[in-house]
Amino acid sequence: MSGKNVTEVVRADAAGIARAARILESGGIVAVPTETVYGLAARADDDAAVAKIYAAKGRPDFNPLIVHVRDEAHARQYADWDEAAATAVQTIWPGPLTVVVPAKPDSGLAKAVTAGLQTLALRCPAHPVMRALLDLIDFPLAAPSANRSGFISPTTAQHVLTSLDGRIDLVLDGGPTKAGVESTILAIRAGGVWEELRPGPVDLDALHGEHFGKGLPAMGDVKAIEAPGQLASHYAPGKPLRLAAATSEADEFHIGFGGVAGNCTLSATGNLAEAAARLYDCLHQAAASDLPRIAAAPIPQTGVGRAINDRLRRAAAPAD
């Protein structure tokens, strides 16, 4: 992209956060950094504001949104809470864990937030900019990733502009995000049973073992969309993507890891946390390169490597 941005970008300092709060109060939409990726925020209690998120992203209306809250007490205003949910969030919040729990019928939230479901996805973010913003306002924020639907998620302000310049009111530039992949999503089922809907930075298997003495129960295939990030094709770079590629062809942009250097390396030392933080930036570089295809090096299926592989599989899946 060249020339002046149509969407204004401001520093995520006190003045910028205050400006973002005013835009949100009036029903606008703002890209905000979180510890995972940049989110596209709107007040979750305003039907028209939430509709702007769907319109800007081109998001299908059956795909629900995550609602960001200040703390557990704030979350309890909008959803039915039980001991299983409390156990999870009191261990991780504020942090990159989203819980899917029964929504209160009188929550006062925009109907599109739940996409017609009886459940609500809630998260208390840890990023200081998002937390400062939530402290300035008296409503929760619906905030999916700040990119066009199905495309690569943003971990910098420039990534946001790649697909949303001119479609949103403001970007709060807080620098690169830390975790790099979207939050882990945990559904709380009847009887307090945990089910992972999306892998992310939080190791739910280890967390379940810590509190219940055993790993996460095995679950079947996803039968319906209950939360963000469950679409088969997502995070797409717009080019064919080959997985588990230790070597690359001449026409491939190679995303490396460990001993595989590549054109862009997720982590030369094989550090999975570093790899997660760099994943989307490497995909953005691959999408912008002159090479017509992409190859990604093998990633271990452990820890946050499960989330990296999940995103790469969805990025490689053909669009419907």
Side-chain angles (χ1 to χ4, degrees):
M1 183 171 57
S2 62
K4 182 175 174 60
N5 299 323
V6 177
T7 294
E8 186 178 5
V9 181
V10 299
R11 289 179 57 191
D13 55 15
I17 293 169
R19 180 176 178 137
R22 292 192 295 271
I23 291 171
L24 291 165
E25 286 169 354
S26 64
I29 53 177
V30 176
V32 185
T34 78
E35 69 273 25
T36 57
V37 300
Y38 275 70
L40 182 56
R43 57 185 306 160
D45 60 353
D46 185 316
D47 287 316
V50 171
K52 290 179 182 179
I53 289 179
Y54 280 91
K57 286 177 62 69
R59 187 181 181 90
D61 60 8
F62 58 79
N63 201 1
L65 304 177
I66 294 173
V67 173
H68 293 64
V69 293
R70 288 185 295 276
D71 50 31
E72 183 184 0
H74 196 195
R76 286 173 179 262
Q77 296 179 31
Y78 308 105
D80 292 329
W81 219 248
D82 63 13
E83 186 176 347
T87 296
V89 305
Q90 287 170 13
T91 306
I92 303 298
W93 280 8
L97 176 69
T98 295
V99 292
V100 175
V101 288
K104 287 184 176 179
D106 58 348
S107 69
L109 298 177
K111 293 180 180 179
V113 163
T114 62
L117 301 174
Q118 301 302 307
T119 53
L120 178 63
L122 289 158
R123 181 161 101 85
C124 172
H127 195 286
V129 173
M130 184 60 127
R131 293 193 63 75
L133 184 57
L134 285 164
D135 284 342
L136 280 181
I137 57 181
D138 61 359
F139 47 83
L141 293 174
S145 57
N147 56 285
R148 293 296 299 275
S149 186
F151 291 85
I152 307 168
S153 296
T155 55
T156 68
Q158 185 56 48
H159 292 166
V160 175
L161 295 171
T162 297
S163 64
L164 292 181
D165 190 18
R167 304 178 68 89
I168 64 177
D169 296 306
L170 187 76
V171 179
L172 273 178
D173 187 352
T177 63
K178 183 176 180 180
V181 292
E182 297 84 353
S183 62
T184 301
I185 300 184
L186 167 65
I188 306 295
R189 304 302 192 195
V193 174
W194 290 19
E195 181 175 2
E196 184 179 70
L197 298 185
R198 180 177 72 187
V202 176
D203 186 340
L204 285 185
D205 194 63
L207 186 63
H208 195 270
E210 176 185 338
H211 291 287
F212 301 103
K214 57 184 178 181
L216 204 63
M219 297 295 174
D221 294 335
V222 173
K223 296 180 175 61
I225 301 298
E226 297 182 78
Q230 292 187 287
L231 296 175
S233 178
H234 208 6
Y235 320 106
K239 298 176 180 179
L241 170 59
R242 186 165 62 92
L243 304 178
T247 61
S248 61
E249 303 295 333
D251 66 344
E252 289 179 324
F253 183 101
H254 202 188
I255 297 175
F257 177 79
V260 180
N263 301 89
C264 178
T265 302
L266 296 176
S267 173
T269 62
N271 183 299
L272 288 172
E274 180 185 14
R278 287 186 48 75
L279 174 63
Y280 290 135
D281 186 57
C282 281
L283 281 172
H284 276 280
Q285 289 185 43
S289 79
D290 294 332
L291 295 170
R293 298 193 299 148
I294 306 168
I299 305 294
Q301 185 69 359
T302 58
V304 77
R306 293 179 59 249
I308 297 170
N309 283 317
D310 171 78
R311 306 310 191 267
L312 286 171
R313 282 193 300 270
R314 295 176 194 274
D320 293 339

